Amino acid sequence: MGELRIVLYGQSGQGKSTLGGIILGNREIFTSNKDSKKCHKERKTITGQEVVVVDTPGLFKVGDDREEVVEEIKRSIKHAEPGPHVFLYVERFKEISQEKLDALKVFKDTFGKQAVDYTMVVFTTKKKEIMEETLKSLTRLTDQFQQRYFVFNIEDIKQQESQLDELLEIIKKMTEEQCQPLYTSKMLQEAEEALKIQKKTKPKPEEEWRSFYDRCGLMGMAVGCAVGYFICGGELTPTTGAGVGAVVGMMLFVGIAFLGVLAKIKD
């Protein structure tokens, strides 16, 4: 391999830029005097091999336009032309959270399912000991990448060289096992097309609510009929069934409408 190209991806504050700096032998290379909303590319020769690292903007930073951030992240593929050999998906070594799962969804939506084969999760930590319980809680994330992960202590300077050697060796083995050694711009285009189709076919929120209300109306009628049956001692009259059904249906509607308002307020 003449050149090893790495793209870093992850949320803000997860140690992504610091890890990129450690790989290139300068912890501050991606964190000092840089526009955090832009991709940054740096390179260095490591043990005779040219290594290119592209740092991408962090996700879910307060005040950032999410769509703009994602569009900039896509440009990392151009910075790594003809394509990255690996994505390092960087997360703190902490228990799984909804934000981690959200970041995973954004990654898959942005780069597509094919990108998973070119990805390894790197958990950054400042602790010397790896908590097995924490590692078990992260399987929901690591399972998405066939258990390809690496725990990197970004504070232990003495161990950083050996950790880096191990990480780069794993990356090289990953690349050798791929039929197509690169994630290409064509794969990105396919991911973009797939996302467009998904958005077109996905029902609009108002259509989903309408369908939901219709189902609940039918459910209310059914429950009302059953209640009316027992109230009448097993003899259900049309008037009783309709009346009780209407009451129960109305109660369901009111409850659902209330939950819908709460959900909108939360959004």
Side-chain angles (χ1 to χ4, degrees):
M1 189 186 302
E3 183 179 75
L4 176 62
R5 293 178 292 279
I6 300 170
V7 168
L8 302 172
Y9 175 90
Q11 298 170 255
S12 300
Q14 303 301 302
K16 172 175 59 64
S17 298
T18 299
L19 176 65
I22 291 174
I23 292 174
L24 297 177
N26 180 355
R27 291 175 65 97
E28 310 300 323
I29 198 169
F30 290 119
T31 58
S32 61
N33 301 319
K34 298 290 184 181
D35 185 349
S36 61
K37 295 183 180 181
K38 299 291 183 180
C39 291
H40 295 288
K41 173 183 176 181
E42 299 289 348
R43 64 172 67 234
K44 182 183 179 181
T45 302
I46 302 176
T47 60
Q49 183 176 43
E50 193 79 3
V51 177
V52 174
V53 177
V54 180
D55 188 23
T56 62
L59 284 177
F60 310 133
K61 193 173 181 180
V62 177
D64 283 351
D65 185 306
R66 180 164 170 165
E67 289 188 6
E68 286 185 6
V69 172
V70 171
E71 286 302 312
E72 180 61 28
I73 288 173
K74 290 179 182 179
R75 294 189 182 98
S76 63
I77 305 305
K78 292 184 178 179
H79 287 286
E81 286 184 340
H85 295 94
V86 66
F87 292 95
L88 294 186
Y89 185 92
V90 185
E91 290 282 358
R92 287 288 187 197
F93 188 64
K94 293 181 179 179
E95 292 187 3
I96 198 71
S97 66
Q98 187 57 48
E99 276 199 341
K100 291 182 188 292
L101 298 178
D102 290 344
L104 174 60
K105 184 179 185 306
V106 175
F107 177 81
K108 288 185 174 181
D109 286 346
T110 302
F111 296 109
K113 294 181 180 179
Q114 292 183 85
V116 171
D117 294 331
Y118 298 86
T119 305
M120 178 169 64
V121 183
V122 177
F123 294 113
T124 58
T125 182
K126 297 180 181 180
K127 298 179 180 179
K128 292 185 178 181
E129 295 182 1
I130 298 176
M131 302 298 292
E132 291 298 326
E133 291 183 2
T134 303
L135 193 57
K136 289 179 181 179
S137 76
L138 292 167
T139 55
R140 290 173 64 190
L141 183 61
T142 56
D143 282 350
Q144 304 291 324
F145 302 103
Q146 292 79 52
Q147 290 298 313
R148 292 190 300 271
Y149 69 87
F150 190 86
V151 182
F152 200 109
N153 189 319
I154 58 176
E155 287 297 311
D156 193 341
I157 299 177
K158 293 181 180 179
Q159 296 295 322
Q160 279 180 11
E161 186 175 347
S162 61
Q163 288 182 106
L164 181 56
D165 288 343
E166 187 177 354
L167 176 61
L168 292 177
E169 187 61 31
I170 294 173
I171 292 173
K172 290 176 184 177
K173 287 182 179 179
M174 277 181 60
T175 304
E176 291 170 358
E177 292 172 357
Q178 295 288 352
C179 296
Q180 162 61 271
L182 306 174
Y183 177 90
T184 64
S185 57
K186 182 180 178 181
M187 294 178 185
L188 178 60
Q189 291 173 1
E190 291 173 352
E192 291 174 333
E193 290 300 319
L195 185 58
K196 287 179 182 178
I197 294 172
Q198 180 183 334
K199 287 182 177 179
K200 286 181 180 179
T201 56
K202 186 178 180 180
K204 295 180 180 180
E206 58 269 22
E207 293 175 350
E208 292 180 341
W209 276 112
R210 191 178 300 116
S211 175
F212 189 37
Y213 285 143
D214 290 343
R215 290 197 301 271
C216 287
L218 292 172
M219 187 186 301
M221 292 175 63
V223 173
C225 288
V227 172
Y229 179 82
F230 287 106
I231 289 176
C232 297
E235 296 181 0
L236 181 62
T237 66
T239 302
T240 305
V244 178
V247 171
V248 176
M250 183 60 69
M251 291 175 64
L252 285 171
F253 269 118
V254 171
I256 293 166
F258 179 70
L259 292 174
V261 171
L262 289 179
K264 287 186 177 295
I265 292 174
K266 184 177 180 181
D267 291 341

